[in-house]
């Protein structure tokens, strides 16, 4: 479904299930899409646990841009999408998630969206080679429990376990988490299970 936000239209691929236990809203990285292998692996796990999954193509990507632009605008559009998804699905627990830039959006907006938790895939702790520009406060300030799944070879860094509720590091994975997507799903499954019926 298409959702018109104040910063352009967003596209939501919704996988509904009967009597869902929760809704998992997932989004992409800066120049990726909702077909990323790690997102699809987490989607499969959520569906198997009885959750509805909403994969969100944010307005900047729907418009064909690679750069997300202002974090304020991106977060506002995300919250408008989440409101529309919740209106469509009803009052069930919301989990937010995303990969890379999408993980940052999910963390920054979790409290305002009323999310119960965040799945942060390939959280970009800092720009490559710039560890002094840490984004760890976005994890710490999410206001909800955050599960981080990162590769140990990620040039964007790996968050410290003190900065999130859970940090799962996958050996041999880089930023795309594409070497073994099933391992990403396996890392998320126990954490997501708490919202299953």
């Amino acid at each position: 479904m298409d959702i018109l936000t104040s910063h352009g239209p967003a596209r939501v691929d919704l996988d509904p299930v009967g009597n869902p236990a929760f809704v998992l809203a997932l989004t992409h990285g800066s120049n990726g899409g909702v077909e990323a292998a790690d997102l699809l692996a987490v989607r499969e796990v959520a569906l198997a646990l009885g959750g509805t999954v909403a994969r969100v193509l944010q307005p900047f990507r729907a418009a064909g841009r690679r750069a997300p632009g202002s974090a304020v605008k991106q977060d506002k559009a995300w919250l408008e999408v989440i409101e529309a998804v919740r209106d469509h699905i009803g009052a069930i627990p919301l989990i937010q998630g995303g990969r890379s830039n999408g993980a940052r959006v999910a963390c920054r907006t979790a409290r305002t969206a009323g999310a119960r938790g965040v799945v942060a895939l390939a959280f970009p702790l800092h720009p490559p080679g710039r560890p002094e520009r840490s984004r760890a406060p976005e994890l710490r300030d999410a206001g909800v429990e955050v599960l981080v799944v990162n590769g140990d070879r990620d040039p964007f860094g790996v968050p410290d376990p003190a900065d999130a509720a859970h940090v799962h590091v996958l050996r041999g994975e880089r930023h795309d988490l594409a070497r073994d997507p099933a391992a990403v799903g396996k890392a998320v499954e126990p954490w997501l299970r708490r919202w299953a019926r």
Side-chain angles (χ1 to χ4, degrees):
M1 65 181 176
D2 290 331
I3 296 171
L4 185 60
T5 77
S6 54
H7 299 290
R11 191 168 312 122
V12 178
D13 290 326
L14 192 63
D15 293 303
V17 297
N19 192 27
F22 60 89
V23 57
L24 174 63
L26 292 171
T27 193
H28 50 79
S30 289
N31 60 0
V34 296
E35 301 297 326
D38 55 348
L39 292 178
L40 294 177
V42 172
R43 168 187 172 254
E44 291 305 314
V45 166
L47 291 172
L49 292 173
T52 286
V53 179
R55 288 177 297 136
V56 179
L57 188 69
Q58 296 178 61
F60 77 93
R61 288 298 292 148
R65 295 189 304 274
R66 289 178 175 244
S70 155
V72 172
K73 290 180 180 178
Q74 192 179 16
D75 292 356
K76 183 177 181 190
W78 174 260
L79 289 168
E80 291 169 357
V81 169
I82 293 301
E83 182 178 4
V85 168
R86 293 185 97 173
D87 286 348
H88 182 75
I89 292 172
I92 58 175
L94 166 69
I95 314 301
Q96 296 195 148
R99 64 162 286 101
S100 193
N101 177 69
R104 296 182 66 197
V105 173
C107 287
R108 290 193 307 255
T109 61
R111 190 188 318 258
T112 303
R116 302 277 184 92
V118 171
V119 176
L121 305 176
F123 186 87
L125 183 62
H126 55 71
R130 303 288 303 276
E132 74 281 1
R133 294 188 54 199
S134 176
R135 298 166 178 141
E138 292 180 354
L139 291 169
R140 292 192 297 263
D141 298 342
V144 299
E145 190 173 315
V146 179
L147 167 68
V148 173
V149 181
N150 271 55
D152 66 351
R153 296 183 181 179
D154 192 331
F156 289 85
V158 178
D160 189 282
D163 293 327
H166 307 279
V167 176
H168 193 99
V169 181
L170 298 174
R171 294 184 59 169
E173 288 282 6
R174 295 187 60 77
H175 192 64
D176 59 6
L177 296 176
R179 185 170 171 248
D180 185 4
V184 177
K186 193 177 290 187
V188 172
E189 194 271 345
W191 184 84
L192 204 54
R193 182 174 288 282
R194 74 188 66 194
W195 289 284
R197 286 202 181 112

